[in-house]
Amino acid sequence: SGAMASSLTHSAFRLGASHAGFRTRCASKTPRAFARTSLVVRNEGTGRFIVGGNWKCNGTIESVAELCKGLNAGKIADNVDIVVAPPFLYIDQAVEALDAKRFKVAAQNAWVEYTLQDPTHHYDSDTGAFTGEVSAEMLEDLDVPWVILGHSERRTLMGEDNVTVGKKVAHARYHGLSVIVCVGESLEERESGETLDVIFAQLRAVADEIDDREHSSWGSQVVIAYEPIWAIGTGKVATPEQAQEVHAAIRQWLVDNVSEEVSKATRIQYGGSVNDGNCEDLAKYSDIDGFLVGGASLDADKFVQICNSSVAHYKAVGRL
């Protein structure tokens, strides 16, 4: 596996002067890769590879049926967890059509009354006067097991801030939903060297809500998806070194702010123009525990190939 399967040294991500090196590398529009001599194995994840398909606001009854048929027909390795997120209107159709042994279904969002102050971190509302929203209680009632929260499109287009996302995660976990929580920086933030500051603030908002462990377990039921905003739907992809760099920093942040046990158990996905052509190169890095896929998840053959990049991951990290 060698350097391709290795995590970056943690010292590169300490606060203060440690960020200077990161900022220098990110200031360039084409940041160079780290020298291979700077790579060592540390705190790599221990969870199963996990691939999510975010169908976003796409689909018709006919296209969803065809996509589910194609996914069911795909030959997929048995060492990967797969979650697909149809639009709300097609969740029931996907649940009925997909092979439940291989595919779990997620919602793309869940409401929380963000103005509530709740020391229990449950955030249950006393009213349903939120026209157009879907609650975690409804998803729980329908046995929808997963939800994607904090996606950059909701942060930027819908104005969801870090505090709101943290409350959403806590509320969803209280109602038994497993969560894929998205974090990531804009191109301007990356080029100004603020990537880790932005991501750590996003993680802190989540940790402040669920770190009491009263009703959740980070490692088994909260997946972190690193999605650099500048790479989502643009065709631009972070290099494997750039993605690994941030994933390793996230894992070290979990060590420092939650626990080493949680750091090892938490799965960290990469998202941002992942496709069937780049997935294997990305999967070879030890802290990349899977993918959150957008456009390519609408093509069954491409998505199946991305799911099968789990084999490359396990080989590279010596777990196969």
Side-chain angles (χ1 to χ4, degrees):
S1 56
M4 288 290 286
S6 302
S7 302
L8 292 164
T9 53
H10 297 330
S11 60
F13 304 106
R14 299 293 182 189
L15 296 177
S18 62
H19 280 244
F22 184 86
R23 289 186 175 122
T24 299
R25 283 182 288 271
C26 290
S28 169
K29 291 186 178 180
T30 55
R32 61 179 177 83
F34 278 96
R36 295 203 181 270
T37 54
S38 68
L39 297 171
V40 295
V41 174
R42 296 279 184 86
N43 283 333
E44 66 184 38
T46 58
R48 277 169 59 92
F49 202 77
I50 180 168
V51 177
N54 181 8
W55 298 0
K56 303 190 179 184
C57 191
N58 294 292
T60 63
I61 292 174
E62 181 179 1
S63 67
V64 168
E66 284 299 311
L67 179 54
C68 291
K69 180 180 178 180
L71 292 174
N72 287 338
K75 295 182 179 180
I76 302 176
D78 60 4
N79 56 6
V80 56
D81 292 335
I82 307 171
V83 180
V84 297
F88 282 119
L89 291 177
Y90 302 113
I91 285 179
D92 187 59
Q93 181 185 357
V95 168
E96 291 296 321
L98 287 169
D99 180 352
K101 293 181 179 179
R102 295 195 293 166
F103 302 98
K104 302 300 181 186
V105 173
Q108 297 178 17
N109 182 43
W111 169 254
V112 73
E113 189 176 356
Y114 62 89
T115 57
L116 284 179
Q117 301 298 317
D118 184 355
T120 69
H121 306 284
H122 296 169
Y123 299 109
D124 281 339
S125 300
D126 294 327
T127 175
F130 305 107
T131 301
E133 296 293 345
V134 174
S135 70
E137 293 94 325
M138 293 175 179
L139 298 176
E140 178 187 28
D141 187 44
L142 292 173
D143 292 323
V144 176
W146 284 86
V147 62
I148 298 172
L149 297 174
H151 192 279
S152 66
E153 289 161 3
R154 295 204 60 84
R155 292 179 188 262
T156 57
L157 300 177
M158 309 300 178
E160 294 184 2
D161 60 17
N162 292 345
V163 173
T164 298
V165 173
K167 289 181 177 182
K168 282 190 171 191
V169 173
H171 184 55
R173 285 298 309 122
Y174 178 61
H175 287 281
L177 301 177
S178 296
V179 175
I180 297 174
V181 58
C182 303
V183 300
E185 82 284 8
S186 67
L187 181 60
E188 180 181 3
E189 289 164 341
R190 168 165 278 272
E191 291 184 343
S192 63
E194 299 175 0
T195 293
L196 294 187
D197 295 327
V198 169
I199 291 171
F200 291 169
Q202 292 167 339
L203 292 174
R204 170 52 62 193
V206 175
D208 285 347
E209 296 293 347
I210 67 171
D211 189 46
D212 59 6
R213 299 181 178 82
E214 178 186 4
H215 52 262
S216 67
S217 169
W218 270 85
S220 59
Q221 285 146 330
V222 178
V223 172
I224 297 170
Y226 168 55
E227 294 198 302
I229 298 172
W230 49 272
I232 298 175
T234 64
K236 298 178 180 178
V237 184
T239 66
E241 291 85 3
Q242 286 174 320
Q244 166 64 21
E245 176 182 37
V246 175
H247 282 225
I250 290 172
R251 202 174 301 282
Q252 181 60 34
W253 187 93
L254 292 173
V255 171
D256 295 338
N257 293 274
V258 185
S259 73
E260 184 171 353
E261 178 184 7
V262 165
S263 173
K264 287 181 177 293
T266 297
R267 293 177 289 181
I268 307 172
Q269 296 174 312
Y270 172 74
S273 297
V274 175
N275 58 52
D276 54 323
N278 59 32
C279 58
E280 286 201 9
D281 286 339
L282 288 160
K284 291 176 182 177
Y285 283 78
S286 62
D287 289 303
I288 298 177
D289 303 313
F291 302 112
L292 183 57
V293 186
S297 70
L298 301 174
D299 183 307
D301 291 338
K302 291 180 179 179
F303 189 66
V304 166
Q305 187 169 339
I306 293 169
C307 291
N308 284 330
S309 66
S310 62
V311 175
H313 176 77
Y314 289 123
K315 284 183 179 178
V317 301
R319 292 171 59 191
L320 187 66

